[in-house]
Amino acid sequence: SPHPVVTINETGHTTLKCKAFGGNPTLFWYKWMYEGNDISGEQNTTLRLDNVQRNQRGNYSCLVCNMIGCSSNTTSLIVQCK
């Protein structure tokens, strides 16, 4: 199925959520990526984007892992002109 799409206005803000699978959440670790490249320092269940600009549009992915394995999900961000 296609991944979710979030549409916001330029200079707006949004929070992307990383959906995890079941189990003990304290064992999870998270990593966020933009267009396949790591976003350094972002290791939480959510990614907050403030004052978003047009050049930040694209695919944001999160990878969540625990002792059993890893799962990833992607959200497409569309940024509209104000």
Side-chain angles (χ1 to χ4, degrees):
S1 62
H3 36 255
V5 175
V6 173
T7 302
I8 64 169
N9 290 326
E10 198 171 17
T11 72
H13 63 84
T14 189
T15 300
L16 305 179
K17 293 179 177 60
C18 190
K19 295 182 184 67
F21 38 70
N24 185 345
T26 60
L27 298 177
F28 290 151
W29 61 265
Y30 297 86
K31 179 167 78 170
W32 283 92
M33 289 162 282
Y34 170 66
E35 294 294 344
N37 299 306
D38 288 5
I39 304 174
S40 66
E42 292 294 343
Q43 297 171 333
N44 297 311
T45 58
T46 59
L47 176 68
R48 183 172 169 88
L49 301 171
D50 290 306
N51 190 26
V52 174
Q53 303 300 311
R54 295 278 309 282
N55 64 2
Q56 290 176 277
R57 68 186 183 272
N59 292 320
Y60 289 82
S61 304
C62 72
L63 184 70
V64 55
C65 298
N66 66 9
M67 293 165 60
I68 299 166
C70 295
S71 172
S72 66
N73 47 78
T74 299
T75 301
S76 294
L77 183 68
I78 296 173
V79 182
Q80 299 179 327
C81 291
K82 291 186 80 173

